Amino acid sequence: MLWLLIAGIGAMFLAHTAPFPFLLETYAPSRSIWHMPRDEKAPTIYLTFVDGPNPEATPGLLDVLQETGARATFFLIDTHLTDATAPIVRRMFEDGHAVALHSDSRALMTKAPQDLAELLTRNADRIEQLSGRRPCQLFRPHAGWRSGAMYAGLQQIDHKLVGWSWGLWDWNWYRPRQAGALARRLARSASAGDIIVMHDGHHVNPRADRRYAVEATRQLVPELKGRGFEFAPLCDPTAP
């Protein structure tokens, strides 16, 4: 009986934290995106960046994306949105990138659906006020922590939860993140339709050192382009 209890607790934990579709997604498959449709004629990779905007790192990252001709999706934290970072967000839109919602707390998974819906709507309103453009109807929860209540709240405002493809993240098991090693690992594992996640910011420190992400992107994009991949945002940034 003990092993059944342990297995049950483990399954419940994974349902809320697994960095891949798990139990919750079997009940709301249309409410989440963990992989994009595969197009063999135009194999596409989806770069995503979280925890910005970061005035120290994000402008350099935008430069790299412009130089390499890649478009991406930026998931922004509301507390990092200020008059000082507003020009960075405006540039994201101007450069053809998608902008979406992120969070800096696991506590959002405990919010009542209506409360979450209202919070995310306010966050989207602030992005629109600061940049003149409204973000996509996409949300990535902090560290992937999600719940049934979260899915219910997203349904109220017609948003989808966005995860990422298995292994395609910049978490390095408590070891320092090194740009070259990260770029090689991601390039080795990526395939058409995959969603990659890297951090251009930090959920607590709005000016975190993220030079590794900038340099990893500089190395990764040409490598994947050389293998025939294209890059696209997760939604159409020109849509109203």
Side-chain angles (χ1 to χ4, degrees):
M1 291 299 294
L2 179 60
W3 71 269
L4 285 174
L5 177 62
I6 294 173
I9 293 173
M12 289 302 297
F13 181 80
L14 286 172
H16 294 89
T17 66
F20 49 82
F22 203 64
L23 293 181
L24 287 171
E25 284 68 42
T26 64
Y27 297 103
S30 64
R31 277 287 140 211
S32 64
I33 302 171
W34 296 85
H35 194 277
M36 294 294 282
R38 188 185 299 269
D39 185 343
E40 298 300 339
K41 293 183 179 179
T44 304
I45 299 291
Y46 299 84
L47 291 176
T48 68
F49 299 93
V50 297
D51 287 353
N54 179 348
E56 299 294 335
T58 308
L61 178 59
L62 288 169
D63 288 343
V64 167
L65 292 170
Q66 186 176 59
E67 292 164 7
T68 56
R71 293 191 298 155
T73 305
F74 289 84
F75 290 85
L76 307 185
I77 291 178
D78 182 70
T79 54
H80 294 351
L81 295 168
T82 66
D83 289 338
T85 60
I88 300 173
V89 182
R90 285 196 291 269
R91 182 182 171 187
M92 291 174 184
F93 283 112
E94 291 166 359
D95 286 359
H97 305 296
V99 173
L101 305 176
H102 193 40
S103 64
D104 58 358
S105 172
R106 293 173 173 84
L108 265 63
M109 66 181 288
T110 66
K111 279 189 173 294
Q114 183 64 33
D115 292 341
L116 177 70
E118 292 175 356
L119 173 66
L120 295 183
T121 298
R122 290 196 299 272
N123 292 352
D125 289 344
R126 286 200 67 226
I127 290 176
E128 186 172 22
Q129 291 163 6
L130 288 170
S131 70
R133 299 282 296 277
R134 195 153 187 89
C136 298
Q137 292 174 274
L138 303 175
F139 170 67
R140 175 175 281 157
H142 178 59
W145 284 60
R146 55 204 187 275
S147 65
M150 179 177 286
Y151 273 117
L154 293 174
Q155 185 172 12
Q156 288 187 16
I157 54 174
D158 196 25
H159 278 51
K160 289 189 176 183
L161 184 147
V162 177
W164 52 90
S165 300
W166 173 251
L168 297 181
W169 55 77
D170 58 2
W171 170 250
N172 203 27
W173 303 104
Y174 299 103
R175 293 174 295 182
R177 296 177 175 104
Q178 297 179 336
L182 174 61
R184 287 191 296 273
R185 175 167 64 80
L186 294 175
R188 188 168 57 245
S189 303
S191 60
D194 278 339
I195 299 173
I196 295 174
V197 59
M198 285 192 275
H199 293 72
D200 63 319
H202 185 272
H203 67 287
V204 175
N205 179 5
R207 308 181 78 91
D209 184 351
R210 292 298 192 229
R211 284 174 290 182
Y212 81 86
V214 178
E215 182 57 31
T217 304
R218 188 190 308 276
Q219 297 179 33
L220 177 64
V221 172
E223 171 67 22
L224 290 176
K225 279 196 167 187
R227 290 166 48 190
F229 288 106
E230 300 179 1
F231 292 85
L234 289 171
C235 64
D236 181 0
T238 64

